[in-house]
Amino acid sequence: MAGQSALTGDSDYTVSLWAKTKATPVANGFPTMISIGSSQTDSQIVQFRFVDKDCGKLLLGHWNGAGVFSDLPGPDDPSAWHHYVIMREGQRVGVWCDGVQLFNKTDMKLAIDLPPTVQINIGWLAQSERYFCGDIDDVAVYSHSVGRTGVARLFGGEEPFASGSGER
């Protein structure tokens, strides 16, 4: 995990990854790209996935009462490589696909109870059959927000902060 501090239930985060599905519709009804948390049963998990097997819409879920944001626009062709970023910054969450912001929500109560050892599941939602049908590459999980400039840099294949910039 990149970054200087631990990922906790009340910390900012950024997840960056590249993904492409198999031909749609995929075999699994809930293709999950990444999940972060302890388990699905105690409702303390963040998940990022496609809404259904057609892979036309995205879902960012903060399973802590803060809400599930579904029906976010997905890429026209999910079977091609796309860059995805999900980011929490204070009480704001955002989702990007190929450098374009698809979702921005403010005034969220996003704290969740994470255990001392956080499970990060790539391509699968813990304790379920929600697995990804396709390829995932170049995954980075940061225990802080990289900001909009960092998102653009990640999409361009660069580190989220310029060397020597003084940014974290």
Side-chain angles (χ1 to χ4, degrees), residues 29-67:
F30 303 99
T32 301
M33 290 181 256
I34 194 163
S35 64
I36 302 170
S38 58
S39 72
Q40 190 177 15
T41 57
D42 69 359
S43 300
Q44 301 298 308
I45 197 161
V46 174
Q47 66 170 302
F48 182 60
R49 65 176 174 86
F50 286 104
V51 172
D52 59 28
K53 65 183 179 179
D54 293 324
C55 302
K57 298 200 179 278
L58 297 165
L59 176 144
L60 173 60
H62 274 254
W63 259 219
N64 64 338

Side-chain angles (χ1 to χ4, degrees), residues 76-116:
D76 290 335
D77 180 7
S79 65
W81 282 106
H82 294 281
H83 181 245
Y84 299 94
V85 173
I86 60 173
M87 185 171 61
R88 175 199 169 172
E89 187 172 26
Q91 293 184 323
R92 174 188 307 263
V93 292
V95 175
W96 287 258
C97 180
D98 297 334
V100 176
Q101 189 167 24
L102 305 174
F103 178 72
N104 182 39
K105 180 82 172 162
T106 58
D107 299 326
M108 299 298 304
K109 293 181 175 43
L110 298 170
I112 57 178
D113 295 324
L114 294 178

